[in-house]
């Protein structure tokens, strides 16, 4: 009996020796700021002075009644997320499908397509800002093509698509790598059996390949949804929400409310609402896609 208790105690100590330091760091960096943010969302703190007053749900009421910019940023972020998630996964899957074929330069091309993911969002935004403003203008003058003469960062509609293009260019390669790993693990005997039964490529892809790579689809959708909703650095460096806040995503709106307008209480309320929405969407997405997963 005593020996069994000693073993349990030893296992518990071993567990906390490994998990304890990580949990402590996680609590200090994530949990404590999170609960502080929830608390501040019920105050009028400006983030600078030590004086803060408890105002209850006033910040939350303001968000849904009089804060039009928050509502505009929310719908813009939702529209951007839908477009970016679909196109990023589509581009990533097409690249993965092509680069799992018998192509000589496939390893080189995989590296090239993955490389944009290694560039930080701020630097990426400044690079593409130069491309949109200077590069496209020069190409438009040389070719006369109206596509390159559009005000890519000076108009709400083209600014939106400018951000989408940069996001796909950066994230498509990362998603491609996940899909490549999934496609390489599809049992080839099933594909060969489908060909023998007379199935064409499209039918094989739809009925065999895609159902077998659904775990990767779950991961890729989860990643792209969270990336899209939390887009900040690229938005900041590429358009800074302009022109006239027409491309101001939700994360940038929260940042400006908290640290530019010095209204940390209202900014924290926005962040709490943001967290609840993203958590609800991602949990729902994971639940729905997990149900469609099959085993080979």
């Amino acid at each position: 009996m005593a020996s069994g208790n000693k073993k349990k105690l030893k296992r518990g100590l071993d567990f906390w020796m490994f998990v304890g330091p990580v949990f402590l760091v996680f609590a200090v960096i994530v949990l404590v700021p999170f609960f502080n943010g929830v608390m501040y969302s019920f105050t009028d703190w400006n983030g600078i002075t030590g004086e803060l007053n408890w105002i209850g749900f006033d910040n939350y009421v303001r968000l849904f009644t009089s804060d039009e910019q928050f509502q505009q940023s929310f719908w813009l972020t939702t529209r951007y997320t839908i477009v970016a998630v679909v196109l990023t996964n589509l581009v990533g899957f097409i690249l993965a499908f092509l680069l799992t074929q018998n192509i000589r330069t496939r390893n080189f091309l995989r590296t090239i397509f993955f490389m944009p993911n290694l560039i930080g969002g701020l630097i990426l935004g400044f690079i593409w800002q130069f491309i949109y403003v200077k590069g496209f203008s020069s190409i438009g003058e040389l070719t006369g093509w109206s596509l390159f003469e559009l005000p890519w960062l000076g108009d709400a509609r083209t600014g939106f698509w400018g951000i989408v293009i940069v996001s796909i260019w950066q994230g498509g390669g990362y998603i491609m790598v996940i899909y490549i790993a999934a496609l390489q693990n599809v049992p080839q005997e099933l594909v060969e059996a489908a060909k023998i039964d007379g199935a064409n490529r499209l039918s094989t892809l739809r009925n065999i390949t895609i159902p077998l790579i659904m775990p990767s689809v779950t991961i890729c959708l989860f990643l792209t949804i969270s990336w899209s909703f939390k887009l900040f650095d690229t938005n900041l460096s590429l358009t800074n929400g302009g022109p006239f806040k027409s491309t101001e995503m939700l994360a940038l709106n929260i940042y400006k409310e908290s640290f530019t307008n010095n209204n940390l209480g209202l900014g924290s309320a926005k962040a709490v609402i943001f967290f609840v929405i993203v958590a609800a969407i991602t949990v729902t997405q994971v639940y729905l896609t997990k149900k469609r997963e099959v085993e080979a």
Side-chain angles (χ1 to χ4, degrees):
M1 189 71 176
S3 176
N5 290 333
K6 286 182 179 179
K7 286 182 179 179
K8 288 182 180 179
L9 180 62
K10 185 177 182 305
R11 282 198 297 267
L13 289 174
D14 290 342
F15 174 80
W16 283 109
M17 281 181 62
F18 286 100
V19 176
V22 178
F23 179 77
L24 181 63
V25 172
F26 178 77
V28 171
I29 295 176
V30 178
L31 294 181
V32 172
F34 173 78
F35 288 112
N36 277 341
V38 173
M39 182 190 71
Y40 291 143
S41 70
F42 296 101
T43 70
D44 62 354
W45 190 36
N46 61 13
I48 300 174
T49 64
E51 181 182 351
L52 67 160
N53 300 309
W54 190 266
I55 60 174
F57 288 93
D58 287 0
N59 286 327
Y60 293 95
V61 173
R62 178 178 170 184
L63 291 183
F64 293 105
T65 56
S66 60
D67 196 329
E68 294 182 2
Q69 185 55 47
F70 173 76
Q71 296 169 23
Q72 178 183 321
S73 296
F74 173 78
W75 291 117
L76 175 68
T77 305
T78 302
R79 184 160 57 95
Y80 163 80
T81 299
I82 293 171
V83 174
V85 167
V86 172
L87 293 181
T88 302
N89 278 277
L90 186 62
V91 169
F93 180 77
I94 290 172
L95 290 176
F97 186 76
L98 293 175
L99 296 181
T100 50
Q101 307 303 311
N102 192 20
I103 302 174
R104 282 187 179 181
T105 58
R106 62 184 179 181
N107 290 332
F108 172 74
L109 291 174
R110 289 175 186 177
T111 304
I112 294 297
F113 289 131
F114 181 77
M115 282 181 65
N117 188 258
L118 303 177
I119 305 174
L122 284 172
I123 305 244
L124 194 68
F126 288 126
I127 291 172
W128 273 91
Q129 187 182 76
F130 175 80
I131 292 172
Y132 283 134
V133 175
K134 299 293 185 181
F136 278 21
S137 177
S138 299
I139 295 172
E141 290 177 3
L142 290 173
T143 62
W145 294 349
S146 59
L147 176 67
F148 295 102
E149 295 176 346
L150 293 172
W152 277 96
L153 301 181
D155 179 75
R157 184 171 59 86
T158 53
F160 171 82
W161 286 105
I163 297 173
V164 169
I165 290 169
V166 175
S167 299
I168 295 170
W169 187 76
Q170 182 184 30
Y174 190 93
I175 299 303
M176 174 198 71
V177 171
I178 298 174
Y179 281 132
I180 285 175
L183 289 170
Q184 288 178 335
N185 285 322
V186 173
Q188 289 304 304
E189 57 268 21
L190 294 179
V191 177
E192 294 297 330
K195 289 180 180 178
I196 292 172
D197 290 339
N200 56 31
R201 283 194 173 188
L202 183 60
S203 179
T204 303
L205 180 67
R206 185 176 66 251
N207 297 311
I208 294 177
T209 304
I210 291 179
L212 289 176
I213 66 168
M214 279 305 294
S216 294
V217 173
T218 300
I219 294 170
C220 290
L221 286 176
F222 175 83
L223 289 174
T224 49
I225 288 172
S226 60
W227 290 346
S228 300
F229 267 112
K230 296 186 297 183
L231 183 75
F232 172 76
D233 44 8
T234 304
N235 188 200
L236 176 67
S237 57
L238 195 61
T239 65
N240 196 25
F244 306 110
K245 298 186 178 182
S246 59
T247 61
E248 186 176 276
M249 300 290 181
L250 206 48
L252 183 59
N253 177 261
I254 292 170
Y255 169 81
K256 287 186 175 181
E257 188 69 62
S258 301
F259 304 109
T260 302
N261 300 340
N262 293 329
N263 197 345
L264 194 68
L266 184 60
S268 297
K270 291 182 179 183
V272 171
I273 295 295
F274 186 36
F275 167 78
V276 171
I277 291 171
V278 174
I281 291 173
T282 51
V283 167
T284 303
Q285 171 263 308
V286 170
Y287 172 76
L288 292 175
T289 51
K290 276 281 186 184
K291 288 176 67 176
R292 301 194 63 182
E293 293 181 9
V294 297
E295 295 183 3

